[in-house]
Amino acid sequence: MSSGVSIFCYFARKIVPKMKKPVKITLITLSALIVAIIAFIVLSFYVVFSVLSEEVPQSIIQEATTVTDDGSHLEAPEWKIGKATLRGKIYGLKLIRQIDPNATVTVYVNNPISRIQETYAVHVADDGAFLCDIPLTTNHQTVYFGFRGICRVLLTVGDTTEVNVDCNLKTLFKSGGPKLYFSGANSDLNNASQLPQFNNAQKAMVSYRDFRGTTSEYRDSVYAYLRSFCDIIESLNVTTRAKEYLAVLAKVQSLDELSRYCIDPMFDYDTAIVRPEFKSEYFNYVSDWKLDNPLMLYSENFADLVYCTNRSIEQLFEHNDENIRKADALKAELLGGDGKLFHDLYVCYSHFGYAWSKMLVPDSVVEIVSQLKDP
């Protein structure tokens, strides 16, 4: 930038003294001069920031966008205390740090046992490289990767997942943010979750706060949206297990909205809003979409769905022994049995309501996971 200004000043010193006559400046001339100066400044900024930008190698992009399907399915999750390795590089870090000198990577883990979000700050070297080990409680767990935005990343205990972040100037202008390319463990699933068709479908979800109609009508609208969402996922050019993974994310996101509707605190603090009527049939989404399926643990929000669904069903009944038994019977009916996964997790959340206040969480997590049987 400074070199561009120097060149401009050099020509100004050379040209102005040689002018024999005063120059008559018209409005058109002045406008043209202003446009030229603005164009010069914009071009200078573009040149400087292009120098600071760094392009992702084509080999990385090609690997991430090449789909090879061997027909395998998602592996059943297991309770497992361990660490997964996340490494990668931010291409264009120098450019980003001109805007935000403190820009760094943060990983957020929604613990499915404690229902507490854990945060891990990741050191990023000057060349953009980073490496970290993330503690998990299941063998496969979806976490949030934060750098100039938030995205999902599926990690596996004992394996390494690599993410290359494209912060090139052209990418930022075209996409409005960084693009991510994955390799290593779960690369087919992670690259699939970055597809615009999937992300656009997620954004099309209508919140109950914006819906006008009865609770049963809202449930039906969510069903229709979810079926459409699953059709979009089925049409994607991704691996078989990636489709299964995306379908889990879509189901939990959609049905979590249904579960939150019943216990939204706005009905308590906003007296102008009438609490809608919920009947037991509203919760058929638990059985209709088979929420006790262990694969649901692949979603980072499954813990919230379990908690909110249990709390919502309990809210249908007054809190006495007889009605608690009715609530438990309804859960068992919806889950087609004893609802092992739902029951075990909800017991954990009740435990942590006490344990968190006593600062017992870390040791308690290890103890509970050791006692849990695989879902």
Side-chain angles (χ1 to χ4, degrees), residues 136-299:
L136 303 178
T137 52
T138 62
N139 56 340
H140 304 294
Q141 199 165 333
T142 300
V143 304
Y144 289 123
F145 176 87
F147 183 82
R148 312 302 296 174
I150 298 290
C151 75
R152 293 185 180 96
V153 179
L154 178 65
L155 302 178
T156 295
V157 171
D159 287 342
T160 299
T161 297
E162 184 169 343
V163 54
N164 293 283
V165 185
D166 182 1
C167 289
N168 183 274
L169 186 62
K170 294 178 184 177
T171 301
L172 297 179
F173 271 118
K174 184 178 180 180
S175 305
K179 291 190 70 174
L180 280 67
Y181 300 98
F182 291 91
S183 59
N186 309 310
S187 59
D188 57 327
L189 282 65
N190 288 321
N191 285 313
S193 69
Q194 301 302 305
L195 292 174
Q197 302 96 308
F198 176 74
N199 289 314
N200 291 337
Q202 280 189 305
K203 296 173 185 176
M205 175 77 185
V206 176
S207 170
Y208 60 83
R209 293 193 175 196
D210 301 320
F211 185 80
R212 298 294 177 267
T214 65
T215 55
S216 60
E217 288 172 340
Y218 180 66
R219 186 198 64 187
D220 293 343
S221 75
V222 171
Y223 275 32
Y225 160 78
L226 185 49
R227 283 190 288 267
S228 174
F229 198 168
C230 289
D231 288 341
I232 292 173
I233 292 171
E234 195 58 36
S235 69
L236 296 176
N237 180 29
V238 297
T239 62
T240 300
R241 70 189 204 118
K243 290 180 181 180
E244 295 171 349
Y245 175 63
L246 297 184
V248 167
L249 299 182
K251 289 176 185 178
V252 173
Q253 172 198 302
S254 306
L255 303 179
D256 188 41
E257 194 76 6
L258 286 177
S259 71
R260 290 177 181 277
Y261 193 2
C262 311
I263 57 174
D264 192 318
M266 73 175 179
F267 299 129
D268 296 323
Y269 65 72
D270 192 339
T271 56
I273 300 178
V274 178
R275 181 182 291 276
E277 181 182 5
F278 293 92
K279 297 181 179 179
S280 59
E281 293 79 11
Y282 177 86
F283 298 97
N284 285 348
Y285 67 81
V286 175
S287 54
D288 291 343
W289 295 96
K290 298 178 174 58
L291 292 194
D292 207 44
N293 183 345
L295 291 181
M296 294 298 174
L297 276 170
Y298 272 88
S299 169

Side-chain angles (χ1 to χ4, degrees), residues 293-344:
N293 183 345
L295 291 181
M296 294 298 174
L297 276 170
Y298 272 88
S299 169
E300 77 284 2
N301 287 325
F302 182 61
D304 280 343
L305 174 56
V306 171
Y307 176 81
C308 292
T309 296
N310 276 282
R311 289 285 296 112
S312 298
I313 292 176
E314 290 173 358
Q315 194 163 283
L316 284 176
F317 306 94
E318 295 181 4
H319 289 286
N320 59 55
D321 291 342
E322 180 181 354
N323 285 332
I324 288 175
R325 285 193 292 271
K326 291 180 181 179
D328 290 340
L330 176 58
K331 295 177 194 177
E333 178 185 348
L334 293 171
L335 293 166
D338 61 357
K340 178 182 180 302
L341 182 57
F342 257 56
H343 175 269
D344 287 353

